[in-house]
Every structure is written in structure tokens, then in C-alpha cells.
Amino acid sequence: IKKENVRNFSIIAHIDHGKSTLADRILEKTKALTDREMKEQFLDAMDLERERGITIKLNAVQLKYGANNGDDYLFHLIDTPGHVDFTYEVSRSLAACEGALLVVDAAQGIEAQTLANVYLALDNDLEIIPVINKIDLPGADVERVKQEIEDVIGIDADDAILASAKDGVGIDEILERIVTDIPAPSGKSENPTKALIFDSLYDSYRGVIAYICVKEGSLKVGDEIKMMQTDKTFQVSDLGVFTPNPVSKEELTVGDVGFLTASIKNVGDSRVGDTITLAKQPAEEPLPGYKRLNPMVYCGLFPVESDNYNDLREALERLELNDSSLQYEAETSQALGFGFRCGFLGLLHMEIIQERIEREFNIELITTAPSVIYEVELTTDEVINIENPSLMPEGKNVKEVREPFVQATIMVPSDFIGPVMEICEKKRGNYVDMQYLDEHRVNIVYDIPLSEIVYDFFDQLKSQTKGYASFDYELSGYRASNLVKMDILLNGETIDALSFIVHRDFAFHRGKQIAEKLKDLIPRQQFEVPVQATIGNKVIARSTIKAMRKNVLSKCYGGDISRKRKLLEKQKEGKKRMKMVGKVEIPQEAFMSVLEMN
Ligand code: GDP
Ligand code: MG
């Protein structure tokens, strides 16, 4: 199939608008899979993705399509992750395409991530084909959604495709429009080679598998290649495409999308966004837009059983092979012992890694509350980054403390403007803008400290808007803030893993809340345990965990033995996530309690 008949495209959508279902229908129609192979939502491969209904890892599938004009076409469908934590990966996978299907739920309309994804697609100069999905729903309002697409995104929605991915309606039209509307890749096979890495993952047999799109020139098995950002060289051992099962090829050329292996040991050597060229005839300039990903959120990970420390290190090493944006370094906490301080792209990324460590490596974790990175300027003019609240310097030698702010975009029905603004104000947000999307829906923009987003912002937003709000954010910069470190003392001892940073205006309130909360969360011990919240050396709140009254088991003496066993088992179960700190036993929830403050 000649280059003019290649179409590289992606599907972009807000979560749940039907991207995966549509991808499945397209795979079915192009007979990419036999029925036996066809399983629901083929592109969402990892168990965790399937369970959470989100797409984490990108994939590229090659499809053959016989068009109505009699020609055969080669499609590459490139999947993108759907969550704000993975924006950069979305952007890179879109850079591998010339066009995108923009899927909008006919009953919901445009949501925050629809808009965020459209901007990324426009940044990458993609041809956008609007698809209004779920027209089978009783609440579908095609005219309203068309109007929104025109007003908010500013693209013509007259010829938007009306579809129901569920019922297979509109799929033929989508395939034809991919042929007619999306341009073929524009590079030249005789130019010096440039291939974009838009994803990479680690396979224990073959090393790193890089997902690539050849933008200029070509690549052959045996070629000596160079990564343009790191200058590292490797020899290509295998090339191929996904149909969707991997099929090896001797050569990939302009417009091809597929995989490459080259005995690369670590995904850090094949970074998403980097350009591959030939070591002998290198391209002069890499493809645009490479960005090193830096973590936005940090937390401590500690094994419940200290014997598992080495297992935890191995788990992190293994996960890092697959995820170059995961960062970690050894951390020692007086309270929790040996563990790791880990950096993540966002909260979802953090949850996914924690869950994988527990599931795939069977290590029980105590995790500390997530924290953002603070910038501290000292009186010596030195600027240091603090990602662990307990290490925040205090006192005379601190000139200024700065924290990261994000621009938050919130879309809601106009009935909820009041509650949304109230939450944003309470979260120290600064109003930026508000626009009506149509008579019923608005787009509200606020500048908010990232740390406040981390603290249950989205949960509050959802509950105050009955789940109607959609939300997206991007980092907007560091600003000075009046921040202080709050320490928590149990039984007179500072528990470093419970320290957190708080705005001075909220310090008193949060101190009181957390002292009360810990009193409830920490089980009674044999003795009375005072809880204190302090700033500097000043106690601002206190509470007391009363001593245990009597042995719980005594109730069962003489009673039925199975009930007693059950009680013991239940206690053991409950103990799993406890950590002895000094003489006090602290449950996992206590370390997260700061997240629920408001
Ligand atoms: P994604 O998050 O964008 O990948 O969305 P999914 O493809 O996972 O779909 C989200 C939900 O919407 C699933 O329960 C689908 O079954 C459902 N869905 C997808 N397309 C349609 C459609 O055309 N009509 C209806 N009624 N439901 C759909
Ligand atoms: Mg999906």
C-alpha cells in the first residue's frame, strides 16, 4: 500500500464518552481480529485499566480498510491515555497522527477533557472529525452538542458524524471520512530518518519496546540508531507493526507506526517524545516538542513489614523500567523506618503505582499523604526544592516560600456556579474567567494552589455538583504564599510522617480538625495518648486518645469459641495496616487524614 493511502489517527474524548467502544467497533469492521480474539475493549489491555475503565498505556494498531472508492488503505489507530496526569503522553501520541476523531457524548456535551484534548490536537495541527456518540440515548441532544462544538471549540459541526458505538451506528461513515478528511503523512523516505517515540514499555524478554512513528526516512533491522535527546546509540534488533498482534518487519518507512526493539535496558533511554535517527546519517534537528516529565506530587511509601524493604526497592526498580516518569529515592522516617520518597505525575499516577506494588508484588504499604514540591528561597538567595514536608526549613534563614499553582478549568451546568465558586474560593483560588458554553452550561476558570487540588478538591466538586462537573488543570507557575509547617506529636513525640504544610490562615482550623480526626482514627492503647498539633514550638490544638478500658476478648470468655476466633481474625485483619510508632499503633488512614481536612 502506497504512502498516499496511509492514515494515522487517534480518538480523543472525555472519559466515558465512548472512545474504547468506538475503537472496538472500528477493529471489528476492519476485521483486524477474528471474533475469537475480539474481546471487549481490546485497547485497554492492563487489568488495572480495565477495572478502572481508564486508558493508561498507549497503543497503536494497524488496520486494512477497503474504501468505497475501490482503493485499499492502511490505518494506524493510535490510542491515547484519557487522564490529565498523562497529558504529555497524549500530546506525543497525537504528534504521531495527522487527524483525530473527536468523540462527544450526545447527552453530556463537551466536558473539560474534551476541550483539553482538542487543544492538544490543534497544537499538533490535526484534522479533527467530530463524532457525536450515544445518539441512541433518550437524553441525546444532537443540535445542542453541535452548537457547543461550534461555539466552544470553533470548528464546523455541520457534518459531524452521528454515531452509536454501542449499536454500531455511524461506523461506516467514520471509516470513509478517515479516508477523505485526514491527510496522508507528509514526510519523505529519502530524507534523514526521524522517528518519534510516542510510548515505550519494558518487556522482560526483549527489553524496551519503543512505540514509534516514522516521520522522515526509514529504519531497518540492524541499523545503528541514535536517540537525539540522550545521544545514546543502539542497534535495531526488531521492527514491526501491531495488527493488533505484533508482526515483525525488515523495515519501517515514512508513515509507518509500529514498534522497535534494540536491547535497550531501561525506558529512560527511550523517552516518550524523543526522536530516533540513524547514527551514520543523523537528522540535523529532532522533531519538535520534547519535554522531560517532572513529578508534581510526592509521597512516602513504607512497607508495613520492615522485612519487605528490599522487595519494595525491587518493585520500584521494576516499575521504573516501564515508567520513566516515576521517581524514587530512599527515605528514612523516624516514625515509619526505611522506605522511599516517590514522585508522581499526579494523584491517579500515584494511586496506580501504589496499587500495582500491592497487587503485583504483594507488598503491603503505608503511604504518607501526598505533597507538592515547595520552593524555598533562603536569605543566602539559594533556592531549594522541598518535596517532604518534614524537611521544610523554618525560621530566620527563610526568605520566601513558594508553591505551585494550576489553572483549573471546570465545566458545570449553570445551576452550580455558586457552589463551584465557593469551593474554589475556599481552596484559595483566584477567579480568572467564566464563559457560557450555551444557555445551560458554563466554563469556570480559577487559579488554584496545586496542594489544594490534592486535598479532596475533586471529591468536593463532584459532591457539590451532583457529579455534573468536569475538571481539568495545568500547571501555571510558582507563587509566594504564607505557608507554615504543622507537626503532629503523639505521646509527646513528633511523628515526622504526619507533618504537613498549610497556609497560615487555615493553620488553626486544620490543626484542630486533625487533632480530632487522629483521636478517632488511632485505636485506644493500653495508656492515654495525648495528640498535639504544633507550629514551631507552639501547640495550636490538642486532643487525647483515652486508654483502653478492658480486654475485648474478655467479653467472649465462656462464650462460643467460633465467635472468639472470628473476633481475633477480625482484629488481625484490622492490624494489617497498622504501624507501631514508638509505643503507639497507628493505622494507615491516619497518615491520609490530612487529605480530608477542609
Ligand atoms: P471511554 O472512557 O471514552 O473509553 O468510554 P467507553 O468506551 O469505556 O464507554 C463508556 C460507557 O459508555 C460504557 O458503559 C459504554 O458501554 C457506554 N457507551 C459507549 N458508546 C455508547 C453508545 O453509543 N451508546 C450508549 N448508550 N452507550 C455507550
Ligand atoms: Mg476507554
Coordinates of all heavy atoms in Angstrom, one line a residue, residues 15-16 18-21 41 44 49 53-55 79-80 82, ligand 2:
I15 N -13.5 11.2 29.4 CA -13.7 9.9 29.9 C -15.1 9.5 29.8 O -16.0 10.3 30.1 CB -13.1 9.8 31.3 CG1 -12.9 8.3 31.7 CG2 -13.9 10.5 32.3 CD1 -11.7 8.1 32.5
D16 N -15.4 8.2 29.4 CA -16.7 7.6 29.4 C -17.6 8.1 28.2 O -18.7 7.7 28.1 CB -17.5 7.9 30.6 CG -17.2 6.9 31.7 OD1 -16.6 5.9 31.4 OD2 -17.6 7.1 32.9
G18 N -17.0 7.2 25.2 CA -17.2 6.1 24.3 C -16.0 5.8 23.4 O -16.1 5.1 22.4
K19 N -14.8 6.3 23.8 CA -13.6 6.1 23.0 C -13.3 4.6 22.8 O -13.1 4.1 21.6 CB -12.5 6.8 23.6 CG -11.2 6.8 22.8 CD -10.1 7.6 23.4 CE -9.4 6.8 24.4 NZ -8.2 7.5 25.0
S20 N -13.3 3.9 23.9 CA -12.9 2.5 23.8 C -13.9 1.6 23.0 O -13.5 0.8 22.2 CB -12.7 1.8 25.1 OG -11.7 2.5 25.8
T21 N -15.2 1.9 23.2 CA -16.2 1.2 22.5 C -16.1 1.5 21.0 O -16.2 0.6 20.2 CB -17.6 1.6 23.0 OG1 -17.6 1.6 24.4 CG2 -18.7 0.7 22.5
Q41 N -13.1 -4.0 24.5 CA -12.2 -3.0 24.8 C -10.7 -3.5 24.7 O -10.0 -3.5 25.6 CB -12.4 -2.4 26.1 CG -13.9 -2.0 26.3 CD -14.1 -0.8 27.0 OE1 -13.4 -0.5 27.9 NE2 -15.1 -0.1 26.7
D44 N -7.6 -1.4 25.9 CA -7.3 -1.3 27.3 C -6.8 -2.6 27.9 O -7.5 -3.4 28.4 CB -8.6 -0.9 28.1 CG -9.1 0.5 27.6 OD1 -8.4 1.2 27.0 OD2 -10.2 0.8 28.0
E49 N -6.3 -1.1 34.1 CA -7.0 -0.1 33.2 C -8.5 -0.6 33.0 O -9.4 0.2 33.0 CB -6.4 -0.1 31.8 CG -5.0 0.5 31.8 CD -4.5 0.6 30.4 OE1 -5.3 0.5 29.5 OE2 -3.3 0.7 30.3
G53 N -11.5 1.4 34.1 CA -12.2 2.0 32.9 C -11.4 3.2 32.4 O -11.9 4.1 31.8
I54 N -10.1 3.2 32.6 CA -9.3 4.2 32.0 C -8.2 3.7 31.2 O -7.9 2.5 31.3 CB -8.6 5.1 33.1 CG1 -7.9 4.2 34.1 CG2 -9.7 5.9 33.8 CD1 -6.9 4.9 35.0
T55 N -7.6 4.5 30.3 CA -6.5 4.0 29.5 C -5.2 4.6 30.0 O -5.1 5.9 30.0 CB -6.8 4.4 28.0 OG1 -8.1 4.0 27.7 CG2 -5.9 3.8 27.1
D79 N -3.9 4.9 20.2 CA -4.7 5.1 21.4 C -4.0 6.1 22.3 O -2.8 6.2 22.4 CB -5.0 3.8 22.1 CG -6.2 3.9 23.1 OD1 -7.0 4.8 22.8 OD2 -6.3 3.1 24.0
T80 N -4.8 6.9 23.0 CA -4.2 7.9 23.9 C -4.8 7.7 25.4 O -5.9 7.3 25.5 CB -4.6 9.3 23.5 OG1 -6.0 9.4 23.6 CG2 -4.1 9.7 22.2
G82 N -6.4 8.8 28.9 CA -7.5 9.7 29.0 C -7.4 10.7 30.1 O -8.3 11.5 30.3
Ligands
MG2 MG -11.6 3.8 27.5

